[in-house]
Amino acid sequence: MSSAVPPASCENLPDPLIIPRSEHGISRKNIDSDALKVLYRLHNHGHLAYLVGGGVRDLLLGRRPKDFDVSTDATPNEVRRLFRNSRVIGKRFRLVQVFFREGKIIEVSTFRRAAEEEEGEVLCANNTYGTPAEDALRRDLTINALFYNIADYSVVDYVDGLADLKAGRIRAVGNADVRFHRDP
């Protein structure tokens, strides 16, 4: 594994690299129709709505994702109000599971930021909402910190994840020991 992306303070969050639709291979035809419903409903109600994580990575690699996760600026209660077919779960951090036919679940998380004591205390309580940049800096690997923005079909990259993906490089975001202890 290559070196980790250093953590950023709130004062110097990175500007994202925005990859327009014409410069990446993600097509909405390869995104699950129910995930698209979630993304579009959030977007149409004035929220940021990003496909996140391994699903974006897999789509960029031309693979079929095993699941699709969404991240948004909507709070769990706001998401719950938009989707009657959902429930809020989680103790440390609240997520919304949106249910569809045949047992399909699309998980929706609110953008969050690192808790003050997170580096030293791996499993601290954290319901601290944040920005997309802060959320990207909490992810495990750079290649899992890529976002697909349904508003303009761009890929949003705060941590050079696309360059790592193209190079076949695996890098942690922040302290690798903390990341892998929290999410082995």
Side-chain angles (χ1 to χ4, degrees), residues 86 96 109 115 122 156:
S86 68
V96 178
S109 63
V122 175
V156 181

Side-chain angles (χ1 to χ4, degrees), residues 8 21 27 43 45 55 60 77 87 99 112 120 135-136 167:
R21 172 62 190 104
S27 169
H43 174 70
H45 282 86
L60 287 167
N77 287 336
R87 71 175 175 191
F99 299 95
R112 59 184 170 150
D135 191 80

Side-chain angles (χ1 to χ4, degrees), residues 11-56:
E11 298 83 46
N12 67 357
L13 290 173
D15 288 330
L17 172 64
I18 306 293
I19 301 96
R21 172 62 190 104
S22 61
E23 295 177 25
H24 67 75
I26 294 179
S27 169
R28 282 169 289 153
K29 349 180 241 210
N30 297 324
I31 298 174
D32 179 87
S33 62
D34 293 323
L36 286 172
K37 287 177 191 173
V38 171
L39 289 163
Y40 279 123
R41 185 171 300 171
L42 287 163
H43 174 70
N44 291 337
H45 282 86
H47 296 287
L48 286 176
Y50 292 166
L51 189 65
V52 300
V56 177

